[in-house]
Amino acid sequence: MATTQKRPTPRNLFSFSRLKTLHQCPFRYRLRYLKGMKESFRSIETFLGTCVHEVLEHLYAARRQSADPSMDEALEAFDAQWRERWPENIAIVRVDEAPDTYFTLGRDLVARFHAGVFTRDRSDTIALEQRYSVKLSDVVTFTGIADRVGRTAQGRLFVVDYKTSKAAGTDAEFSEGLQALVYAACALRETDDEGALAGYHYLRLDDTRWYEVSRERGETLLRRIHELADQAL
């Protein structure tokens, strides 16, 4: 695995990505988080996800300012993201696919989201790319960034994570079992709500999955994060 050097992640700072990397590949975890070695390439799937996320953030940020971006504007925003952010170290694993394949896919995902979700969405946005930092003990702090935090038309607090993966996740801890739910737990610590919804929206599948997170369940999930972090210390 080709790498470049960067500063190691602080020993006591744990994100969902860090814990997931430790679970999936301890060797990669050691290189990336303990030795500060950054991969010298970026997968085109990751780049696609970044560009799509930026457009979704743009759409909801504009709506917060009482604007109503059209589908053409959304597609123009995606085109600009793709053009301006294109990295030199991009990697395409599948030999039968070209950059244009992913560019076309990204435009399709944005168009379908705008037509199928955004135009019908009547929820209010509280925050976009909301960073959470929760001190779980003297030696463990959980940190994470939620794609969107808002309230439904009925006033329910929710956190949603947008996914561009090919398949939906499962309820396993390092699939759907923790990430958005823990972000919802973090959001609950900042409000008086008794519960929140945690969701994953799969753009390729046009599907959203919601989980109920009570205040009690949220604290249980944060304790589980603490347990996982303790295993790495």
Side-chain angles (χ1 to χ4, degrees), residues 122-143:
R122 296 296 177 264
S123 63
D124 292 325
T125 298
I126 296 173
L128 298 164
E129 295 297 304
Q130 174 65 47
R131 179 176 292 278
Y132 291 110
S133 182
V134 177
K135 187 174 182 179
L136 301 178
S137 72
D138 289 339
V139 294
V140 173
T141 294
F142 174 74
T143 184

Side-chain angles (χ1 to χ4, degrees), residues 95-123:
V95 296
D96 58 335
E97 293 181 343
D100 284 350
T101 303
Y102 291 90
F103 175 71
T104 301
L105 171 61
R107 294 185 103 248
D108 179 59
L109 295 180
V110 168
R112 281 160 44 197
F113 182 87
H114 188 283
V117 176
F118 184 72
T119 56
R120 300 199 305 264
D121 193 349
R122 296 296 177 264
S123 63

